[in-house]
Amino acid sequence: MGETQVTAQEGRSTAGPSPIVADRTTEAGWSARFRSLRMPRRPRLWFEILLIAVSYWLYSLVRNAVPEQKAAALRNADWIWSAEKTLGLAFEETVNHAVNSVTWLIVSMNYYYATLHFVVTIGVLIWLFRRHPGRYAATRLVLFATTAVALLGYYLYPLAPPRLMNGANFIDTVLVHETWGSMASGNFKNMSNQYAAMPSMHIGWSLWCGLTIFALASAPWARILGLLYPTLTLVVIVATANHFWLDAVGGMACLAFGYAVSRVWYGSLPHRLPKWVPAGSGDGKSRLTGLRAARLPRPASEPEPEPKSVRESTPGPAPEAETAGSRRP
């Protein structure tokens, strides 16, 4: 009762869905649409290139828009340095001076710091796109969520890198060896926020790369390189006096947040999702969209249709035999 509306028209009655059924249909449609967004799908190259380019542009814009709170950043650096001394783990200055004494090594690390941060990350994204399309979107979400929460850290906790500390004996290796590299040194110092050292996205991104390679690569040597990459990156950021080791801890915390976001959205960690997705996924043909994705409830007055196979196999009534004198209309 109350589930259908009957309207009389020329002596006939037609049944249509009631407002209650329509509301349920709308809810089912939006629910189906939401579920479809959480399903792995085949990535589209043009969309990914545009998304990554725009995202990095916004990241750089927001990061550099954070006010350079020099006084607070220097106070925080002094506090970090003091805390590390209390823990007996203030080794950054020793590493900085030791590596700086080997010219070819520190110059290599300067270029490592300036280039591999981008090259390896983009390389892993391309590898995922080609070899693990079903896991691409979830793994990319980890990277994006990690970077987004890092922006909050830059705003709430301005921190000077060791090379800019007052009264410390750290060496800015890019300036000393006149190598191109740090966006906060030399000719690039006016293009980047110099007091956004916490958390370290060199560690956040490199650990993302390393864990992704370790979890998905089949070759043992590739998995070993995946673990070595963030380890070497930690040495580089300390040796070049761009970060404290506690900045690396901050980068790890941001990465953990990124994995949590991806786990909640996709219902699984990226490496546990299917490697491949159907060819139609992501092209708009097989995706659930709006109300058309929901199955409309059938009115109670209309019987459920039989399956096609049943209709074909069920014999119908035999045609009436023509009798003498009968005529067809």
Side-chain angles (χ1 to χ4, degrees), residues 107-124:
V107 169
S108 299
M109 287 190 175
N110 285 342
Y111 287 121
Y112 178 112
Y113 184 88
T115 59
L116 291 192
H117 180 54
F118 305 101
V119 173
V120 176
T121 303
I122 294 174
V124 171

Side-chain angles (χ1 to χ4, degrees), residues 55-281:
S55 298
Y56 184 74
W57 175 75
L58 288 175
Y59 165 74
S60 301
L61 186 67
V62 175
R63 183 180 188 272
N64 297 335
V66 175
E68 291 194 354
Q69 306 173 58
K70 181 176 180 180
L74 291 173
R75 286 196 305 270
N76 290 335
D78 290 337
W79 187 91
I80 290 285
W81 188 231
S82 176
E84 291 187 353
K85 287 181 177 179
T86 301
L87 295 172
L89 295 173
F91 51 77
E92 289 91 341
E93 186 175 312
T94 302
V95 174
N96 176 236
H97 283 261
V99 178
N100 185 69
S101 63
V102 184
T103 302
W104 69 266
L105 181 58
I106 192 60
V107 169
S108 299
M109 287 190 175
N110 285 342
Y111 287 121
Y112 178 112
Y113 184 88
T115 59
L116 291 192
H117 180 54
F118 305 101
V119 173
V120 176
T121 303
I122 294 174
V124 171
L125 284 170
I126 294 174
W127 174 63
L128 286 169
F129 183 90
R130 292 178 58 87
R131 302 298 298 274
H132 299 267
R135 298 160 178 161
Y136 175 87
T139 313
R140 186 241 291 141
L141 179 59
V142 174
L143 183 65
F144 280 23
T146 298
T147 306
V149 75
L151 293 173
L152 187 63
Y154 299 148
Y155 183 83
L156 297 178
Y157 195 79
L159 180 67
R163 56 186 173 74
L164 293 181
M165 289 179 63
N166 293 327
N169 195 28
F170 287 98
I171 300 171
D172 190 333
T173 59
V174 172
L175 289 179
V176 169
H177 297 279
E178 299 180 349
T179 52
W180 178 85
S182 175
M183 292 295 291
S185 298
N187 296 329
F188 297 102
K189 63 183 179 181
N190 295 323
M191 297 173 58
S192 179
N193 185 355
Q194 299 188 68
Y195 303 107
M198 172 68 85
S200 170
M201 280 298 93
H202 272 74
I203 291 298
W205 288 14
S206 66
L207 189 57
W208 174 86
C209 293
L211 291 177
T212 300
I213 294 171
F214 180 79
L216 300 180
S218 56
W221 61 267
R223 301 181 71 188
I224 293 173
L225 287 179
L227 295 180
L228 288 178
Y229 175 55
T231 304
L232 183 56
T233 301
L234 176 61
V235 176
V236 168
I237 66 172
V238 169
T240 56
N242 281 294
H243 290 282
F244 297 99
W245 67 264
L246 280 176
D247 300 345
V249 175
M252 295 176 188
C254 291
L255 183 63
F257 173 81
Y259 273 108
V261 170
S262 182
R263 172 67 175 80
V264 169
W265 182 254
Y266 287 99
S268 177
L269 291 174
H271 68 279
R272 294 179 178 173
L273 293 172
K275 179 177 180 179
W276 302 101
V277 291
S281 299

Side-chain angles (χ1 to χ4, degrees), residues 22-33 35 290-291 293-295:
D23 291 341
R24 291 176 181 174
T25 301
T26 303
E27 293 177 2
W30 287 113
S31 178
R33 174 61 174 169
R35 286 196 303 270
L291 296 179
R295 184 185 179 189

